[in-house]
Amino acid sequence: MRLDKFLVATGCCTRSVAKKQVRAGAVLVNGQAVRSSDQNIDENADTVTYCGAKVVYRKYTYIMLNKPEGYVSATEDTRDPTVLELIPAEARARGMFPCGRLDKNTLGLMLLTDNGELAHKLLAPKSHVSKTYRFKSKFPIDEADAKRFENGLVLEDGYETKPAKIELDSTAMGGYITLVEGKYHQIKRMLEALDNKITYLERVSFGPLTLDGELARGEWRYLSESEIEALEAH
Ligand code: URA
C-alpha cells in the first residue's frame, strides 16, 4: 500500500498533510525517514512511526460523526444529502456505510465503518446494544407514562417494545431515553403511543461510544484505538 494511503487509512492525517509530514521527515519506515509519500510499504510487515508514535494498521476504518439535521443515514439517496457526503472521499472510497439509522432530523452520534461483520453484530437484535438519546417532547411526561415507557409499550403496529430507560429533567418535557433495540422511528412512535410528540432528538451514545463533545454538528473523527477495542469487545 502507498505510504500516504496508509497514513490516511490509519487515521493519522489527510493525504495532503501526509505528503507534508513525509517531506518534513516526520514519518519513519522501519526506523528510516522516508522522503516520498508515494513509496509502497507492506502494511503487515513494516513498522511505521508518525511524529514519534507507532502507527497500528487496521484492516477496517471507523468514523464517529456528529450528524446534523437534514442528512439521511444511507449510502445514496435521490432526494436528500447522505451522511456519507460529510466524510472525506478517501473514507467513502473504502466503501464505508452508516452502522444503523438515525432519522433525517435526528442529530448526534453516528458510527460509520467498512467492517460489515462488526456492524451486523452490533445491529443484531440479540446484541442488545444500548443507545442513549437526549430528547425534548411537546407535552410533559408524567409518572404513569414514564412507567409505560420503562415496562414496554405497544406501538401502533402492535409491536411491544422492550423495557427502555427514561430520565426526565425538571421540566418533564425532556431528558434522556435509553433503548436496547432500534425499530423504525422507535422513539417517535413510543411518544406517539403516549399521545405525545418528539420535538428534539439527539443520540449521545451507541454501545461503548459516547458522542465527542469536541465535534461540532457535521464534523467527524476517526475512532481511537481504545474506542475500537471497546466496540470489538462489545
Ligand atoms: N428513534 C427515532 O424515532 N428516531 C431516531 O432517529 C432514532 C430513534
Side-chain angles (χ1 to χ4, degrees):
M1 181 186 289
R2 272 171 58 136
L3 182 57
D4 54 357
K5 267 192 135 183
F6 173 85
L7 293 169
V8 172
T10 49
C12 290
C13 54
T14 62
R15 188 172 282 190
S16 58
V17 171
K19 268 195 177 35
K20 282 188 203 133
Q21 292 287 39
V22 168
R23 250 187 270 126
V27 181
L28 308 185
V29 177
N30 301 325
Q32 301 290 314
V34 287
R35 297 288 158 181
S36 168
S37 60
D38 60 9
Q39 161 173 338
N40 273 315
I41 58 147
D42 180 343
E43 63 274 14
N44 295 308
D46 291 330
T47 300
V48 179
T49 47
Y50 176 78
C51 298
K54 183 170 181 229
V55 182
V56 179
Y57 177 68
R58 286 196 176 265
K59 194 168 163 198
Y60 298 113
T61 305
Y62 305 88
I63 278 179
M64 176 188 292
L65 169 73
N66 185 349
K67 181 188 169 301
E69 210 175 334
Y71 285 77
V72 291
S73 36
T75 50
E76 49 189 334
D77 195 88
T78 49
R79 267 199 326 207
D80 296 305
T82 73
V83 289
L84 282 190
E85 292 170 39
L86 297 165
I87 64 170
E90 292 97 352
R92 273 204 302 277
R94 291 179 63 94
M96 299 192 66
F97 55 88
C99 178
R101 283 182 179 261
L102 289 178
D103 296 342
K104 185 172 152 187
N105 293 327
T106 302
L107 314 166
L109 175 50
M110 173 115 254
L111 170 69
L112 294 111
T113 184
D114 52 356
N115 185 343
E117 201 180 322
L118 183 67
H120 189 260
K121 192 179 111 192
L122 292 169
L123 297 174
K126 68 172 190 302
S127 298
H128 300 303
V129 171
S130 66
K131 297 131 199 150
T132 300
Y133 298 82
R134 199 157 77 82
F135 79 97
K136 289 191 183 131
S137 59
K138 185 165 179 193
F139 306 111
I141 295 174
D142 64 19
E143 240 175 70
D145 281 350
K147 277 267 164 310
R148 284 183 65 199
F149 211 92
E150 285 173 350
N151 292 336
L153 49 78
V154 179
L155 301 180
E156 85 294 346
D157 61 357
Y159 177 74
E160 189 174 341
T161 60
K162 296 207 162 42
K165 263 209 283 191
I166 186 161
E167 223 180 281
L168 293 172
D169 63 20
S170 57
T171 67
M173 290 170 68
Y176 292 91
I177 287 171
T178 302
L179 303 180
V180 290
E181 56 185 343
K183 299 288 173 211
Y184 178 67
H185 288 334
Q186 182 159 343
I187 295 179
K188 197 171 156 215
R189 294 196 295 144
M190 286 174 93
L191 269 280
E192 280 167 6
L194 301 173
D195 295 321
N196 206 329
K197 200 171 166 7
I198 279 290
T199 58
Y200 176 90
L201 197 57
E202 175 187 20
R203 185 155 68 188
V204 294
S205 79
F206 176 80
L209 303 180
T210 301
L211 179 62
D212 185 337
E214 299 284 305
L215 292 178
R217 295 274 181 240
E219 283 186 352
W220 63 274
R221 68 160 170 80
Y222 290 106
L223 291 194
S224 65
E225 285 300 311
S226 59
E227 286 171 327
I228 296 171
E229 275 161 26
L231 260 191
E232 286 176 347
H234 208 68

